[in-house]
Amino acid sequence: MDKQLIKSLAQVVGEQYTLADRESLACYGYDSTPELESRPGVVVLPGNQEEIGKVLALCHGAGVRVTPRGSGTNLSGGSISFDGGVILQTSRLNRIIEIDEENLTATVEPGVVTSALHREVEAKGLFYPPDPGSMNISTMGGNVAENSGGLRGLKYGVTADYVMGLKTFLADGELLKTGGKVVKDVAGYNLNQLLVSSEGTLGVFSEITVKLIPKPQCKKTMLVHFPQLEQAALTVSQIIAARIIPATLEFLDRVTIKCVEDYAHVGLPLDVDAVLLIEVDGHPAVVEEEAAGIRAICERQGCSFFQTAATADEALKLATARRVALSALARLRPTTILEDATVPRSAIAPMVKLIQETARKYDLTIGTFGHAGDGNLHPTCLTDERNRDEIERAHRAFAEIFEATIAMGGTITGEHGVGVAKKKYLPLLVGNAGLRVMRGIKGALDPNGILNPGKIF
Amino acid sequence: MDKQLIKSLAQVVGEQYTLADRESLACYGYDSTPELESRPGVVVLPGNQEEIGKVLALCHGAGVRVTPRGSGTNLSGGSISFDGGVILQTSRLNRIIEIDEENLTATVEPGVVTSALHREVEAKGLFYPPDPGSMNISTMGGNVAENSGGLRGLKYGVTADYVMGLKTFLADGELLKTGGKVVKDVAGYNLNQLLVSSEGTLGVFSEITVKLIPKPQCKKTMLVHFPQLEQAALTVSQIIAARIIPATLEFLDRVTIKCVEDYAHVGLPLDVDAVLLIEVDGHPAVVEEEAAGIRAICERQGCSFFQTAATADEALKLATARRVALSALARLRPTTILEDATVPRSAIAPMVKLIQETARKYDLTIGTFGHAGDGNLHPTCLTDERNRDEIERAHRAFAEIFEATIAMGGTITGEHGVGVAKKKYLPLLVGNAGLRVMRGIKGALDPNGILNPGKIF
């Protein structure tokens, strides 16, 4: 990294927020994606929104590449700089600028932690539904860049459904304002939604305005065991067919159940194929009816156990089984490959079976859990990156799983992004026309290709 | 129009679906936008999806411009060919291809009429919420291209919120598939949402997959009179502050009330400043509570009349006051300029006042009605395009209204599109950076500029 550029960057953000020592560069050299590591040339932490623009203008002028980064919880290598470029770290920009109770919006800086926003708005009787698994550390900037999902996606949608306005610094440092507090806006192309899920390749957010909704009055949490996988899958279909849309409809398979029980001792049985965690929320009368409807469907499908949480504490305990799934699986082996193949929800049962068969075929341990109501599964391979033979088999297995996902009308990533980890599968999904259009857009917005280069395509 | 090209087009879609006679060209020379007319060179009506691609490939090769068109209900001149080009008329592509009850999706061709889709899905207990004013004639292709809103936008959102998958023919005739039936998909840029509201400038839709939701179990319709405008505006704010999100929260001002009463004799008073039409829907218990809450707020604000529809017929009658507003205003003078300035909902009262003051200043009759809950107003100027002086004053008045809208954090168009009618206001709203990015995207997707040229920017 050019010493003069580092000096210029330090003049913008300050010496103490320009990190170029070995230890710092090592810390920013990886994110939550396994098998990937690469040290940046320098890390800068802007202290206000304008500094983002100044950093970009400098790098654009110098032809130096920039990777924006929040908390580094990215699961597709999106927050790693692979070319010794600049990491633009947003964590100092962590102000909740406004909660507008009249227009039901919140405006935040990109470094605000997702669950901090949850707490602030819920204290006012409002609700920001997106709740990615990493919400206690992930930032809003990262959530918007990746279009993060979460456990409440089935009823409430994902981050994209809540983004109303953005301030974004383009590659050359020019500020672009899109959307705002109006709930209807069709003036020109929908750049807001183009920027959401662009994975830091089209611009760097400096301000985000999201929609809020009234907080649901109450909720009911249910945990259900099924001896057979098909019973759980049919239950999911029949709940939707009964015109009930739960807030949460989560699934754990046998491998995951065993790991969770070993880890958290929440009383899960070891002889069932599937567990569903179901939450309904809203008006008390609706919650009662929907919970009763769900119980009837589960029993008709032959569930072996049905528990409704009697208290909020008990609800938390039931939800623990799902919330700890990843940690429970991750402790079994040194390397955890967490994927997010997503299919139309009607294809959940064949998809889980295919994952299990593929695991057997390649002699791998794959636990599957995830958002059954969304068709968004997390097949999680437990392996060891030092075992090259096993890692190779894992890659071959996931290649087959993604091909099958696409054949079922699904997608290679429901909520984790393409980054570098899924690049090779994207052409299969979007075809030549899709790639051509995406490359054209990237070229139009970032002609010098300095923004998070090498990601997506 | 080149005779050889017309012959080639006729070979693709058939002689009888290639219209080049004077009468046909006159019929396709205007849409629902006042003051605009221009005859195309030829009109083609493809009979299947592939023919769209073939028509585009021919025109792309010949460098001839193409304007896609549904029912011509466009309000910004978007479906008029201003350069004697080709009108690509989608009305023969009117199949509802599938209603998938398991995945809660409907897949349609672009020529399907919006209300026809409503009827089909509601017969299955499902619901497609977007209900633009023109829904009995407008097509789904047009709705997606314009991101149409409607009366249920406050609670249910607009067309964009329901588009899950698109098949789109690009300018050169290549087919682009985006999205599908998965409810979570972050594989690459969100081209789906870029194409929604692109007003026919980026591609021509051949297939549209939309999300469906369960049909609300019941609804309650209320009509409320307010002596003072501020009372109505405060009522809107306080309903939202009470965390009630009605499906519909519509407003009529004094000018509109008088016109509606003269036209439809629905019993509206002539001495009030504002009428609100409010609908809540959902579970019976929720509907009861929300309706009671709304009544209390209206009474606290000093409404002079509050009526709840006792039957479905009565509800239809109450809604008539709002549904006929445009027709009632339009019969007063030969030319109706219907705008869709949109502000954050907290700015509804100052916005209505500003419109009324501007009307007085320029000696114009402007009736205002619209979606108060969305901040999406329809100031409607009643004029006569033969009176050039008055038309000039109308244009000056709207220029001031749009400037004020932008100053209040609003937008120049909430649901009607930019087309040619709003082009001159767009730079004011999106700035240089916004225009630069939009032009870059247009250049990337349609390098020869053949798709609906001259629209948006």
Side-chain angles (χ1 to χ4, degrees), chain A residues 253-268:
Chain A
D253 79 345
R254 186 182 277 262
V255 172
T256 312
I257 293 166
K258 185 174 182 321
C259 288
V260 166
E261 190 49 32
D262 283 352
Y263 175 61
H265 311 294
V266 287
L268 293 181

Side-chain angles (χ1 to χ4, degrees), chain A residues 43 61 81 83 108 130 134-135 139 143 146 154 159 200 203 206 221 230 239 273 275 350 357 371 376:
Chain A
V43 178
S81 168
D83 39 36
V108 302
S134 53
M135 64 188 182
T139 63
N143 286 185
E146 302 289 324
L154 173 58
T159 303
S206 66
T221 304
E230 287 72 17
I239 289 171
D273 257 11
V275 162
E357 279 160 21
H371 320 297
N376 180 196

Side-chain angles (χ1 to χ4, degrees), chain A residues 228-260:
Chain A
Q228 312 283 340
L229 176 64
E230 287 72 17
Q231 297 169 319
L234 264 174
T235 297
V236 171
S237 297
Q238 293 194 356
I239 289 171
I240 304 296
R243 310 291 180 242
I244 299 171
I245 310 286
T248 293
L249 183 38
E250 297 286 314
F251 163 85
L252 307 180
D253 79 345
R254 186 182 277 262
V255 172
T256 312
I257 293 166
K258 185 174 182 321
C259 288
V260 166

Side-chain angles (χ1 to χ4, degrees), chain A residues 101-103 124 172 174 184-186 189 201 243 283 289 345-346 371 374 376 411 413 415 436, chain B residues 101 103 124 172 174 184-186 189 201 237 243 283 289 345-346 371 374 411 413 415 436:
Chain A
E101 296 193 55
E102 218 171 343
N103 290 306
K124 295 179 189 295
D172 61 1
E174 190 175 7
K184 283 176 174 173
D185 184 3
V186 296
Y189 300 150
T201 65
R243 310 291 180 242
H283 185 280
E289 276 178 31
R345 76 170 69 86
S346 59
H371 320 297
D374 298 339
N376 180 196
T411 181
T413 171
E415 54 184 11
R436 177 164 70 106
Chain B
E101 296 192 56
N103 289 306
K124 295 180 191 296
D172 61 2
E174 192 175 6
K184 283 176 172 171
D185 184 4
V186 296
Y189 298 153
T201 66
S237 298
R243 310 288 182 245
H283 186 279
E289 274 178 33
R345 76 169 68 87
S346 58
H371 319 297
D374 298 338
T411 181
T413 173
E415 53 183 13
R436 177 164 71 106

